[in-house]
Amino acid sequence: MIGVLYVSHGSRIKEATEEAITFIDSVKKKIDIPLQEICFLELAQPDIQQGVKKLIDNGATEISVIPVLLLSAGHYFKDIPNEIDEIKKKHPEVTFTYGKPLGVQPRLSAILNERIQETNISIKKDAKLLVVGRGSYNPQTKIDITAIGKALYETTEFENVEVCYLAACEPSFEDALQVALQAEHSQIFIAPYLWFTGVLERHIEKTAKEHNMNSDIIVCKHLGHHPSIQEALKDRVLETLTTQKV
């Protein structure tokens, strides 16, 4: 019997965990499989081993592991596979398929475009757009976020678009914001490439508020429960059901 395990990042903020669960539940309804469980990498329960155990206890013999992640980084390449390898030792009778993060997709960049439009603020000619990624030591992260920034440059009214990061990569969000302020842009739009609310989004909002004196700083909403990202995750689940088991 097939089971699906959704592995979300987890957060110490209850609201963020609840948002992730609500989102994944909306995707589960689109998948015609009775055995589907949600678990977290860290900071929330159940963890991966608990999620797998519940699926196996309910009769799963084939498990599709779906990383609820935007981009490929350490969690995808190392943390989740390491957990699955340990579980395989205890349950050699169970086969696993490992899905992909959402990656760079036009429909996801389009969500950021919508989030900008939802501010209902006219974009001035000298406005600056900061696209903010989580950041990672994996070089693919910078490639991906740069591609998203390019897509927004090509599909929005902004003539000034820059990508920056909340950790591990340069330029940092704080440095990029400071440079934008020094350049005296009349508007600075901040588009977080973040799936759910949480510590990082609150940090962006707090930092923007502290500097929002001489310029008009507009923080856009995170990706959230957009129908396009629901479809993107559903597609990742369906992909694993036609992939050879590992």
Side-chain angles (χ1 to χ4, degrees):
M1 185 179 293
I2 297 174
V4 178
L5 183 68
Y6 299 87
V7 185
S8 188
H9 186 278
S11 173
R12 64 177 62 92
I13 296 176
K14 183 180 179 181
E15 178 188 353
T17 302
E18 291 174 346
E19 183 182 8
I21 292 171
T22 300
F23 177 88
I24 297 168
D25 279 340
S26 71
V27 174
K28 286 166 63 178
K29 295 174 183 177
K30 301 174 183 289
I31 306 296
D32 188 21
I33 292 177
L35 296 182
Q36 300 185 71
E37 295 293 338
I38 301 169
C39 67
F40 299 92
L41 271 166
E42 58 187 8
L43 305 173
Q45 295 291 323
D47 61 22
I48 294 176
Q49 297 212 20
Q50 290 168 333
V52 170
K53 183 179 186 302
K54 189 168 183 180
L55 287 173
I56 293 173
D57 288 347
N58 286 318
T61 55
E62 300 178 8
I63 296 177
S64 292
V65 180
I66 310 300
V68 185
L69 303 171
L70 286 172
L71 301 175
S72 302
H75 288 317
Y76 176 69
F77 289 115
K78 182 179 178 181
D79 298 334
I80 299 175
N82 286 350
E83 288 285 339
I84 298 303
D85 286 343
E86 289 301 312
I87 293 168
K88 284 179 184 178
K89 295 175 184 178
K90 301 176 184 176
H91 299 280
E93 75 283 1
V94 178
T95 55
F96 291 84
T97 303
Y98 190 29
K100 298 178 181 178
L102 297 191
V104 178
Q105 302 184 34
R107 57 184 166 181
L108 302 188
S109 299
I111 298 174
L112 286 186
N113 200 332
E114 284 190 38
R115 297 304 186 221
I116 294 167
Q117 295 173 23
E118 287 169 357
T119 65
N120 294 316
I121 297 174
S122 297
I123 299 170
K124 298 179 182 179
K125 188 173 179 60
D126 74 328
K128 178 88 171 187
L129 173 62
L130 295 179
V131 181
V132 187
R134 179 184 292 270
S136 165
Y137 290 109
N138 189 291
Q140 187 63 42
T141 298
K142 292 196 73 168
I143 294 171
D144 290 343
I145 297 295
T146 298
I148 293 163
K150 181 180 179 183
L152 288 173
Y153 176 76
E154 294 172 348
T155 58
T156 66
E157 301 175 39
F158 291 98
E159 297 181 7
N160 296 286
V161 178
E162 184 178 359
V163 300
C164 55
Y165 305 89
L166 293 163
C169 299
E170 297 293 338
S172 69
F173 164 60
E174 293 81 2
D175 288 347
L177 178 59
Q178 191 62 46
V179 170
L181 289 167
Q182 291 171 353
E184 297 184 349
H185 293 280
S186 61
Q187 295 172 313
I188 302 172
F189 284 75
I190 299 172
Y193 196 66
L194 301 173
W195 202 332
F196 306 117
T197 189
V199 173
L200 296 180
E201 184 181 44
R202 292 186 180 184
H203 171 69
I204 290 173
E205 293 171 346
K206 180 176 181 291
T207 303
K209 186 176 181 180
E210 289 172 350
H211 291 84
N212 201 0
M213 296 179 183
N214 300 321
S215 293
D216 192 3
I217 302 178
I218 303 101
V219 180
C220 304
K221 183 183 174 184
H222 59 277
L223 297 173
H225 287 246
H226 195 281
S228 292
I229 203 167
Q230 291 182 14
E231 287 299 310
L233 185 60
K234 182 191 79 171
D235 289 347
R236 288 294 188 239
V237 177
L238 296 179
E239 285 171 9
T240 68
L241 303 180
T242 58
T243 302
Q244 185 177 358
K245 303 297 186 288
V246 295

